[in-house]
Coordinates of all heavy atoms in Angstrom, one line a residue:
T81 N 85.8 111.3 93.7 CA 85.4 110.0 93.3 C 85.9 109.6 91.9 O 85.4 108.7 91.3 CB 83.8 109.8 93.3 OG1 83.2 110.6 92.3 CG2 83.2 110.1 94.7
F82 N 86.9 110.3 91.5 CA 87.6 109.9 90.2 C 88.3 108.5 90.4 O 89.0 108.3 91.3 CB 88.7 111.0 89.9 CG 89.6 110.6 88.7 CD1 89.1 110.7 87.4 CD2 90.9 110.2 88.9 CE1 89.8 110.4 86.3 CE2 91.7 109.8 87.8 CZ 91.1 109.9 86.5
C83 N 88.0 107.6 89.5 CA 88.6 106.3 89.5 C 90.0 106.4 88.8 O 90.1 106.6 87.6 CB 87.7 105.3 88.8 SG 88.3 103.6 88.7
F84 N 91.0 106.2 89.6 CA 92.4 106.3 89.1 C 93.0 104.9 88.8 O 94.1 104.8 88.2 CB 93.3 107.2 90.0 CG 93.5 106.6 91.4 CD1 94.4 105.6 91.6 CD2 92.7 107.1 92.4 CE1 94.6 105.2 92.9 CE2 92.9 106.7 93.7 CZ 93.8 105.7 94.0
L85 N 92.3 103.9 89.3 CA 92.9 102.5 89.1 C 91.7 101.6 88.9 O 90.8 101.5 89.7 CB 93.7 102.1 90.3 CG 94.3 100.7 90.2 CD1 95.2 100.5 89.1 CD2 94.9 100.3 91.6
L86 N 91.7 100.8 87.9 CA 90.8 99.7 87.7 C 91.5 98.7 86.8 O 91.6 98.7 85.6 CB 89.5 100.2 87.0 CG 88.4 99.1 86.9 CD1 88.0 98.7 88.3 CD2 87.2 99.7 86.2
S87 N 92.2 97.7 87.5 CA 93.1 96.8 86.8 C 92.7 95.4 87.0 O 92.6 94.9 88.2 CB 94.5 97.1 87.4 OG 95.4 96.2 86.8
P88 N 92.4 94.7 85.9 CA 92.1 93.2 86.1 C 93.4 92.5 86.5 O 94.5 92.7 85.9 CB 91.7 92.8 84.7 CG 92.3 93.8 83.8 CD 92.4 95.1 84.5
E89 N 93.2 91.6 87.5 CA 94.4 90.9 88.1 C 94.1 89.5 88.4 O 93.0 89.2 88.8 CB 94.9 91.6 89.3 CG 95.3 93.1 89.2 CD 96.6 93.3 88.4 OE1 97.3 92.3 88.1 OE2 96.8 94.4 87.9
E90 N 95.0 88.6 88.2 CA 94.9 87.3 88.7 C 95.2 87.1 90.2 O 94.6 86.3 90.8 CB 95.8 86.3 87.9 CG 95.4 86.1 86.5 CD 96.3 85.1 85.8 OE1 96.7 84.1 86.5 OE2 96.5 85.2 84.6
H91 N 96.0 88.0 90.7 CA 96.4 88.0 92.1 C 96.0 89.3 92.7 O 96.1 90.4 92.1 CB 97.9 87.7 92.3 CG 98.3 86.4 91.6 ND1 98.1 85.2 92.2 CD2 98.9 86.1 90.5 CE1 98.5 84.2 91.5 NE2 99.0 84.8 90.4
R92 N 95.7 89.2 94.0 CA 95.3 90.5 94.8 C 96.2 90.6 96.0 O 95.8 91.2 97.0 CB 93.9 90.4 95.2 CG 92.9 90.2 94.0 CD 91.5 90.1 94.4 NE 91.2 89.3 95.6 CZ 90.9 88.0 95.6 NH1 91.0 87.3 94.5 NH2 90.7 87.4 96.7
D93 N 97.4 90.1 95.9 CA 98.4 90.2 97.0 C 99.1 91.5 97.1 O 98.9 92.4 96.3 CB 99.4 89.0 96.9 CG 100.2 89.1 95.6 OD1 100.1 90.1 94.9 OD2 100.9 88.1 95.4
G94 N 99.8 91.7 98.2 CA 100.6 92.9 98.4 C 101.5 93.3 97.3 O 101.7 94.5 96.9
D95 N 102.2 92.3 96.7 CA 103.1 92.6 95.6 C 102.4 93.2 94.4 O 102.9 94.1 93.8 CB 103.9 91.3 95.2 CG 104.8 90.8 96.2 OD1 105.2 91.6 97.1 OD2 105.2 89.6 96.2
T96 N 101.3 92.6 94.0 CA 100.5 93.1 92.9 C 100.0 94.5 93.2 O 100.1 95.4 92.3 CB 99.3 92.1 92.6 OG1 99.8 90.8 92.4 CG2 98.6 92.6 91.3
W97 N 99.5 94.7 94.4 CA 99.0 96.1 94.7 C 100.2 97.1 94.6 O 100.1 98.2 94.1 CB 98.4 96.1 96.1 CG 97.0 95.9 96.2 CD1 96.4 94.7 96.6 CD2 95.9 96.8 95.8 NE1 95.0 94.9 96.5 CE2 94.7 96.1 96.1 CE3 95.9 98.1 95.3 CZ2 93.5 96.7 95.8 CZ3 94.7 98.7 95.1 CH2 93.5 98.0 95.3
G98 N 101.3 96.7 95.2 CA 102.5 97.5 95.2 C 103.0 97.9 93.8 O 103.3 99.1 93.5
I99 N 103.0 96.9 92.9 CA 103.4 97.2 91.5 C 102.4 98.2 90.9 O 102.9 99.2 90.2 CB 103.4 95.9 90.7 CG1 104.6 95.0 91.2 CG2 103.5 96.2 89.2 CD1 104.6 93.6 90.7
R100 N 101.1 98.0 91.0 CA 100.1 98.9 90.4 C 100.2 100.3 90.9 O 100.2 101.3 90.2 CB 98.7 98.3 90.5 CG 98.5 97.0 89.8 CD 98.6 97.2 88.3 NE 98.8 95.9 87.7 CZ 99.9 95.4 87.2 NH1 101.0 96.1 87.1 NH2 99.9 94.1 86.7
L101 N 100.4 100.4 92.3 CA 100.5 101.7 92.9 C 101.8 102.4 92.5 O 101.8 103.7 92.2 CB 100.3 101.6 94.4 CG 99.0 101.2 94.9 CD1 98.9 101.0 96.4 CD2 97.9 102.2 94.4
L102 N 102.9 101.7 92.4 CA 104.1 102.3 92.0 C 104.1 102.8 90.5 O 104.6 103.8 90.2 CB 105.3 101.3 92.1 CG 105.8 101.1 93.5 CD1 106.8 100.0 93.6 CD2 106.4 102.4 94.1
E103 N 103.3 102.1 89.7 CA 103.1 102.5 88.3 C 102.4 103.9 88.3 O 102.7 104.7 87.4 CB 102.3 101.5 87.5 CG 103.1 100.2 87.2 CD 102.2 99.1 86.6 OE1 101.0 99.2 86.7 OE2 102.8 98.1 86.2
L104 N 101.5 104.2 89.2 CA 100.8 105.4 89.3 C 101.7 106.6 89.7 O 101.3 107.8 89.4 CB 99.6 105.3 90.2 CG 98.5 104.3 89.7 CD1 97.5 104.1 90.8 CD2 97.9 104.7 88.4
V105 N 102.8 106.3 90.3 CA 103.7 107.4 90.8 C 104.2 108.2 89.6 O 104.4 109.4 89.7 CB 104.9 106.8 91.6 CG1 106.0 107.8 91.8 CG2 104.4 106.2 92.9
D106 N 104.4 107.6 88.4 CA 104.8 108.3 87.2 C 103.8 109.3 86.8 O 104.1 110.2 86.1 CB 105.1 107.3 86.1 CG 106.3 106.4 86.3 OD1 107.2 106.8 87.1 OD2 106.3 105.3 85.7
Q107 N 102.6 109.2 87.2 CA 101.5 110.2 86.9 C 101.3 111.1 88.1 O 100.3 111.9 88.1 CB 100.2 109.4 86.6 CG 100.2 108.7 85.3 CD 98.9 107.9 85.1 OE1 98.8 106.7 85.3 NE2 97.8 108.7 84.8
G108 N 102.2 111.1 89.0 CA 102.1 112.1 90.1 C 101.4 111.6 91.4 O 101.2 112.3 92.3
F109 N 101.0 110.3 91.4 CA 100.3 109.7 92.5 C 101.2 109.7 93.8 O 102.2 109.0 93.8 CB 99.8 108.3 92.2 CG 99.0 107.7 93.3 CD1 97.7 108.2 93.5 CD2 99.4 106.6 94.0 CE1 96.9 107.6 94.5 CE2 98.6 106.0 94.9 CZ 97.3 106.5 95.2
A110 N 100.9 110.5 94.7 CA 101.6 110.6 96.0 C 100.6 111.1 97.1 O 100.8 112.2 97.6 CB 102.8 111.6 95.9
P111 N 99.6 110.3 97.4 CA 98.6 110.8 98.3 C 99.2 110.9 99.8 O 100.2 110.3 100.1 CB 97.6 109.7 98.3 CG 98.3 108.4 97.9 CD 99.4 108.9 97.0
K112 N 98.5 111.7 100.6 CA 98.9 111.9 102.0 C 98.5 110.6 102.7 O 99.1 110.3 103.7 CB 98.2 113.1 102.6 CG 98.8 114.4 102.0 CD 98.2 115.6 102.8 CE 98.8 116.8 102.2 NZ 98.6 118.0 103.0
A113 N 97.5 109.9 102.2 CA 97.0 108.7 102.9 C 96.2 107.8 101.9 O 95.7 108.4 100.9 CB 96.1 109.0 104.1
T114 N 96.2 106.6 102.2 CA 95.3 105.7 101.4 C 94.5 104.9 102.5 O 94.9 104.7 103.6 CB 96.1 104.6 100.6 OG1 97.0 103.9 101.4 CG2 96.8 105.3 99.4
V115 N 93.3 104.5 102.1 CA 92.4 103.8 102.9 C 92.0 102.5 102.2 O 91.6 102.5 101.1 CB 91.1 104.6 103.2 CG1 90.2 103.8 104.1 CG2 91.5 106.0 103.9
A116 N 92.2 101.4 102.9 CA 91.9 100.1 102.4 C 91.3 99.2 103.5 O 91.7 99.4 104.7 CB 93.1 99.4 101.8
D117 N 90.4 98.3 103.2 CA 89.8 97.6 104.3 C 90.5 96.3 104.7 O 90.3 95.8 105.8 CB 88.3 97.2 103.9 CG 88.2 96.3 102.7 OD1 89.3 95.8 102.2 OD2 87.1 96.1 102.2

């Protein structure tokens, strides 16, 4: 339940999500799966 992302955003589209998740790759973020509704 560690919160690894909490980012205020004006947009919630796929591009914004993609940018934020790619930024986490530099910290080793490479999950086997992600779950989103």
Side-chain angles (χ1 to χ4, degrees):
T81 69
F82 173 75
C83 180
F84 61 84
L85 175 66
L86 188 59
S87 179
E89 301 291 346
E90 289 187 32
H91 301 282
R92 302 180 317 271
D93 59 7
D95 290 340
T96 304
W97 270 107
I99 290 166
R100 295 298 164 250
L101 294 173
L102 284 173
E103 290 171 346
L104 297 174
V105 170
D106 292 337
Q107 289 178 253
F109 186 67
K112 292 185 179 198
T114 56
V115 179
D117 64 10

